[in-house]
Amino acid sequence: LESYLAELGCDGRQARVRGSRTGTVSILQRTRDGGATWEPIELQSRQLAVRALAFAPDGTLYGVSSRMLATGTFPFLIASDSRGQDWRVRDEQLSAGFAGTIDRLHVNARDPRLLIAYGDRDFLRSPDGGSTWESLPLSQVRGGGAGAPDLAAGGEDGGTYYAVVPNDGGLYRSLDAGRTWTRVLDGVRCMVPGPGRDVYAGRRGGDRVWRSPDGGDSWQEAGVVADGLQVLGLGWDPRGGQRLFA
């Protein structure tokens, strides 16, 4: 069973869609009250396996589906203007010659045509809403290793991204909307951007949270979670404020 979540609205209350997938069947649900109650979304095609959900700023909900062929699994981009009720094929194949699983999809908050997709083998970038795709340098680092990568936008310029590549434990930063990447920290398990240029990270085998006040250029210990416990994930309180969960 796989699960995923997409949100629209800074407080998560405007629209939130979540899904779970078993085999080739997707179950989508929608909430309009910040997660207090959920309602099912009936899909036009029950054979449509929707995954990797992401909202664009204009309200378009993007997803990734896939088709099984003799030569492998080929993902393709789909989009919905009805909060997941109806879907249309946006791109027949995410990248020519690409065969693999796409687990996550990110839509740039400043430029909704800038998409980044990533999964078990590759990081892909589209500057034109999914019409064309290019493989990112992170794909060579990823190398098909075990574990799911993580990617998040940082700052307010729309061009800064951070990515954790699990098989080599590196935290990478891009300052040009994903075109090029620089390694800024080793031994990282998880990360989350903060306000301004702040970035927080949990390192492998550690019970401490690390903070960079300058976008990854320098790092300092921010605090200890608890003796004997490892930091496996980080996230901000969705209701806002400065509460960071680990």
Side-chain angles (χ1 to χ4, degrees), residues 30-107:
R30 174 172 55 202
T31 181
R32 304 176 188 271
D33 53 16
T37 60
W38 293 85
E39 59 184 8
I41 300 174
E42 294 292 337
L43 298 177
Q44 279 184 318
S45 172
R46 294 186 179 274
Q47 298 302 313
L48 185 64
V50 185
R51 58 189 300 156
L53 296 169
F55 269 114
D58 62 1
T60 300
L61 178 60
Y62 288 97
V64 175
S65 190
S66 60
R67 56 174 61 90
M68 297 288 294
L69 300 177
T71 53
T73 301
F74 294 86
F76 59 96
L77 186 68
I78 56 179
S80 172
D81 298 317
S82 56
R83 302 289 196 269
Q85 193 77 47
D86 305 311
W87 294 87
R88 66 184 187 278
V89 175
R90 182 66 181 83
D91 181 35
E92 289 289 347
Q93 187 173 327
L94 279 177
S95 180
F98 173 81
T101 299
I102 293 295
D103 299 310
R104 297 290 185 270
L105 183 66
H106 187 277
V107 184

Side-chain angles (χ1 to χ4, degrees), residues 4 20-22 24-28 41 43 46 48-51:
Y4 36 85
S20 58
R21 178 176 179 269
T22 304
T24 60
V25 179
S26 285
I27 304 170
L28 295 184
I41 300 174
L43 298 177
R46 294 186 179 274
L48 185 64
V50 185
R51 58 189 300 156

Side-chain angles (χ1 to χ4, degrees), residues 11 14 19 23 26 89 109-110 113 115 132 134 154 185 199 218 222 233:
D11 60 0
Q14 283 185 306
S26 285
V89 175
R110 288 290 186 90
R113 292 176 57 79
L115 311 177
T132 61
E134 60 184 355
L185 191 63
V199 188
S218 62

Side-chain angles (χ1 to χ4, degrees), residues 106-109 151-163 191-194 196 198:
H106 187 277
V107 184
N108 189 280
L151 182 141
E156 300 178 354
D157 59 359
T160 301
Y161 284 94
Y162 300 94
M191 64 83 194
V192 63
D198 282 1

